[in-house]
């Protein structure tokens, strides 16, 4: 996350370069997570992301674990949903749809990753992401972004449902229940709090090209995605 001191605390997205407000958590252009600053364990000073040493006391800064690379959509989409999407994609591409966007991610992922080693963080997040995906797919939602600490999904596109918003709410509730149950075990095993947040918003999108591996382009209209994030 890059801060421009000459523009009143604006945060520049490391993914697309979009200017965002200083207190933004997600980029308003591409919805990427804006990385948190590194806090020095020795003196408590905040340092910009990417620094190896504290600019206040020269102590070495802990390097947060890097999120796992995103897999191809076809690898985690149930077969029956993949067949529906590929069968109807010719009629879907370019169509305007009303959808419900769902965002789910870990609360305080950076501090969490600093307390555990990379393998522990990876194993923990893989289990949580699996529960998120199971809930989305159970209600025939489509995961459009896969992150190291969360997912974004659409309900209503590319698979159309008249009750897309209801399905999204049901998926969010099931997701939270599964994650809460898992968090109790994590707290007992690793003595850490592992909490997640889920946001929903309904609005229009235009579906773009859908590839053979189910990678989908879409254009969100208005605040459909940003408000959910």
């Amino acid at each position: 996350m890059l801060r421009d001191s000459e523009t009143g605390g604006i945060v520049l997205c490391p993914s697309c370069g979009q200017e965002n407000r200083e207190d933004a958590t997600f980029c308003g252009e591409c919805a990427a997570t804006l990385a948190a600053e590194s806090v020095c364990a020795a003196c408590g000073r905040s340092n910009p992301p990417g620094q190896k040493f504290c600019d206040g006391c020269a102590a070495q800064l802990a390097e947060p674990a890097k999120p796992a690379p995103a897999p191809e959509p076809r690898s985690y989409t149930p077969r029956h949903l993949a067949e529906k999407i590929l069968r109807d994609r010719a009629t879907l591409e370019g169509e305007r749809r009303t959808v419900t966007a769902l965002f789910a991610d870990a609360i305080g992922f950076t501090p969490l990753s600093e307390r555990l080693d990379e393998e522990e963080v990876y194993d923990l997040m893989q289990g949580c992401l699996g529960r998120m995906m199971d809930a989305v797919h159970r209600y025939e939602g489509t995961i459009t972004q896969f992150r190291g600490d969360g997912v974004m999904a659409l309900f209503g596109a590319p698979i159309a449902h008249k009750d897309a918003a209801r399905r999204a709410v049901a998926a969010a509730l099931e997701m939270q229940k599964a994650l809460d149950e898992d968090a109790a075990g994590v707290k007992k095993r690793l003595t850490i709090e592992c909490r997640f947040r889920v946001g929903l918003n309904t609005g229009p999108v235009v579906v773009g090209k859908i590839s053979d591996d189910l990678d989908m382009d879409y254009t969100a209209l208005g605040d459909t995605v940003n408000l959910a994030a």
Side-chain angles (χ1 to χ4, degrees), residues 4 12 19 24-25 54 57 60 63 74 80 103-104 107 116-117 119 130 139 142 161 165 186-187 190 212 229:
D4 189 342
L12 300 181
E19 294 183 353
T25 302
C54 176
C57 70
Q60 187 169 4
E63 184 177 351
R74 188 110 190 208
H80 71 285
F103 264 92
I107 298 174
L116 304 174
D117 62 39
E119 186 174 350
Y139 295 95
T142 302
H161 291 291
V186 171
K187 185 175 182 179
L190 301 174
D212 290 339

Side-chain angles (χ1 to χ4, degrees), residues 93-187:
E93 293 175 347
E95 184 178 351
R96 176 173 173 149
R97 287 280 185 87
T98 296
V99 304
T100 297
L102 179 152
F103 264 92
D105 71 345
I107 298 174
F109 177 73
T110 299
L112 177 67
S113 66
E114 291 173 347
R115 292 188 57 185
L116 304 174
D117 62 39
E118 290 191 13
E119 186 174 350
E120 286 178 318
V121 173
Y122 178 81
D123 290 341
L124 173 61
M125 288 302 159
Q126 287 303 297
C128 294
L129 292 172
R131 290 169 176 78
M132 294 180 189
M133 290 190 294
D134 287 345
V136 169
H137 291 146
R138 186 184 306 278
Y139 295 95
E140 298 198 344
T142 302
I143 294 178
T144 56
Q145 288 185 24
F146 193 105
R147 301 172 178 171
D149 66 335
V151 298
M152 174 189 165
L154 295 181
F155 290 81
I159 300 175
H161 291 291
K162 293 182 179 179
D163 61 344
R166 185 182 296 273
R167 287 170 178 264
V169 171
L173 292 172
E174 182 174 311
M175 189 182 296
Q176 286 285 44
K177 181 180 179 182
L179 291 171
D180 285 346
E181 291 173 351
D182 187 59
V186 171
K187 185 175 182 179

Side-chain angles (χ1 to χ4, degrees), residues 14-122:
S15 298
C16 69
Q18 169 74 14
E19 294 183 353
N20 296 273
R21 293 182 300 181
E22 187 174 10
D23 61 349
T25 302
F26 297 94
C27 175
E29 176 66 23
C30 69
T33 302
L34 301 176
E37 294 180 340
S38 298
V39 178
C40 177
C43 69
R45 181 183 178 89
S46 294
N47 292 268
Q51 285 192 188
K52 296 181 180 179
F53 297 91
C54 176
D55 57 18
C57 70
Q60 187 169 4
L61 299 172
E63 184 177 351
K66 297 180 180 179
E72 292 186 354
R74 188 110 190 208
S75 68
Y76 55 77
T77 302
R79 182 175 178 180
H80 71 285
L81 296 183
E83 290 175 350
K84 281 187 178 182
I85 294 170
L86 294 176
R87 184 185 64 225
D88 299 334
R89 64 177 169 177
T91 59
L92 294 171
E93 293 175 347
E95 184 178 351
R96 176 173 173 149
R97 287 280 185 87
T98 296
V99 304
T100 297
L102 179 152
F103 264 92
D105 71 345
I107 298 174
F109 177 73
T110 299
L112 177 67
S113 66
E114 291 173 347
R115 292 188 57 185
L116 304 174
D117 62 39
E118 290 191 13
E119 186 174 350
E120 286 178 318
V121 173
Y122 178 81

Side-chain angles (χ1 to χ4, degrees), residues 184-207:
V186 171
K187 185 175 182 179
K188 184 177 181 180
R189 187 173 73 253
L190 301 174
T191 66
I192 60 171
E193 293 283 351
C194 184
R195 299 172 57 211
F196 289 81
R197 56 194 168 192
V198 183
L200 299 168
N201 186 45
T202 298
V205 302
V206 176
V207 180

